[in-house]
Structures are given as C-alpha cells and as structure tokens.
Amino acid sequence: MNIFRLAGDMTHLASVLVLLLKIHTIKSCAGISLKTQELYALVFATRYLDLFISYISLYNTLMKLIFLGSSFSIVWYIRRHKIVRRSYDKDQDTFRHYFLILPCLLLALIIHEKFTFREVMWTFSLYLEAVAILPQLVLLQRTRNIDNLTGQYVLLLGAYRSLYILNWIYRYFTQPHYVHWITWIAGLVQTLLYADFFYYYFQSWKNNSKLELPA
C-alpha cells in the first residue's frame, strides 16, 4: 500500500467520523442528505459482497466493516432516531435519487471487466459512488447555510477521492500492467462533481467568511 492510498482511506474514514460526530454529539442531521447516505449504503453493500468469502488482510476487512456499519447506522439515525430525525429537512432533500440507481445498474451490465454477479455489482458500486454525492450538493445549494461540520464532511469526501486518483497515478507508473479504466473514469467523474464545492470552500476559508453555495 502506498502513501496516497493510505491517506485516501484515512481521509474517507475521517469524513465518516466527522458526520457521526455531528449526528451523535449534536443530535442533529441538519444539512445532511438522507438520499446521499442511502446511496452510499447501497454502494458499500454491493461492493463488499465478498466480505465473508474473500480475505485479503485484516486492514481490508476492518475498513469494509467500518464503512458498511457506519453507512447503515447513519441512515438509521436520520430515519429512526427520535431526536436526530426531527432535524432532517425532507422538504429540501427532494433529489430523486432512485433515478440514479437504474442507469448505473444498466451501465454496469453493459460496461464491466467480467460478466459475473460480483463483478457487475462491484462495477455498479463504482458508477453509483461517482454520483451519490449529487443529492448532498443539491441540498447544500438549496439551504445555502452550511455549518462547519457539514462543510468539513463534504470536503473530506472530495479529498478522499482526489487522493485515490494520485494513488492510481502512482500505481500506474510503479506497477506493470496496472490499467483499470472503469475505476479511473468513475473516480474522475466523482472528483469533478466536487470542483464547485472546493472552489467556494477555499474562497470562504481565504476570506474568513461563512461557506455558502450559489443557488
């Protein structure tokens, strides 16, 4: 494992911890899109189908368990927790996220590396993860008032994928025959979706002003 992969994993983990900190400590999910969290839960559920049948390393297994457990617990908190769910703004979080699932599934059935159930589900998870942040970004544009923890959560998610791109570049030049076009293109699309958010985040940081996205 190279430093970019490790940094990407730790940044991804940090984004989850920031979100759980907000939900568990403040007892609020204001500014958080349930639609995005449901998509992430589906991403990890379809990506880690090999959890109990394929062992790579203790690190790999632990990361899978953490991302699976945290994604479903976040969805539970927003949907079921008697205090947290009161702060969920369902009137603003109206992105029709179900419309993202079918196109990603169809694309995975058409474009994949190997036509097996697990491979198609893995590819589906890549395509879905690339666009899963859309409901969250739309919600932030609608509400405009973004608190620090929510802003840090989205920033860390974007940083995680950016670091993974550096990991792929590093592995391309250091490992023979390392070519994974599907993973690379999906990751690039995902990173580009964060570009607008990155711009306004760093503008607010530079000007020491509150983060707001244009409507």
Side-chain angles (χ1 to χ4, degrees), residues 140-142 144 212-215:
L140 294 182
Q141 283 184 318
R142 288 176 177 172
R144 300 194 66 186
E212 289 186 0
L213 298 183

Side-chain angles (χ1 to χ4, degrees), residues 85-149:
R85 67 182 184 182
R86 295 175 190 167
S87 59
Y88 172 55
D89 191 354
K90 63 180 180 181
D91 293 331
Q92 295 287 350
D93 190 23
T94 57
F95 190 102
R96 296 183 179 181
H97 63 322
Y98 298 113
F99 289 166
L100 296 174
I101 298 174
L102 184 57
C104 289
L105 180 58
L106 292 175
L107 189 59
L109 287 169
I110 297 169
I111 304 175
H112 48 262
E113 291 187 358
K114 189 178 180 181
F115 191 65
T116 64
F117 177 74
R118 278 171 50 192
E119 186 64 32
V120 170
M121 288 297 97
W122 169 268
T123 307
F124 164 71
S125 77
L126 294 176
Y127 295 149
L128 188 60
E129 186 184 13
V131 296
I133 196 63
L134 282 174
Q136 180 65 64
L137 294 176
V138 170
L139 176 62
L140 294 182
Q141 283 184 318
R142 288 176 177 172
T143 57
R144 300 194 66 186
N145 188 16
I146 307 169
D147 64 78
N148 288 335
L149 287 177

Side-chain angles (χ1 to χ4, degrees), residues 18 137 140 146-159 194-214:
V18 165
L137 294 176
L140 294 182
I146 307 169
D147 64 78
N148 288 335
L149 287 177
T150 302
Q152 290 168 10
Y153 164 68
V154 177
L155 177 71
L156 287 168
L157 273 181
Y194 287 92
D196 193 52
F197 177 86
F198 284 159
Y199 173 78
Y200 288 103
Y201 187 95
F202 286 110
Q203 284 294 312
S204 70
W205 175 76
K206 185 177 69 173
N207 299 324
N208 196 27
S209 58
K210 192 170 181 61
L211 174 61
E212 289 186 0
L213 298 183

Side-chain angles (χ1 to χ4, degrees), residues 152-166:
Q152 290 168 10
Y153 164 68
V154 177
L155 177 71
L156 287 168
L157 273 181
Y160 132 72
R161 183 46 74 190
S162 301
L163 286 165
Y164 255 65
I165 290 179
L166 294 177

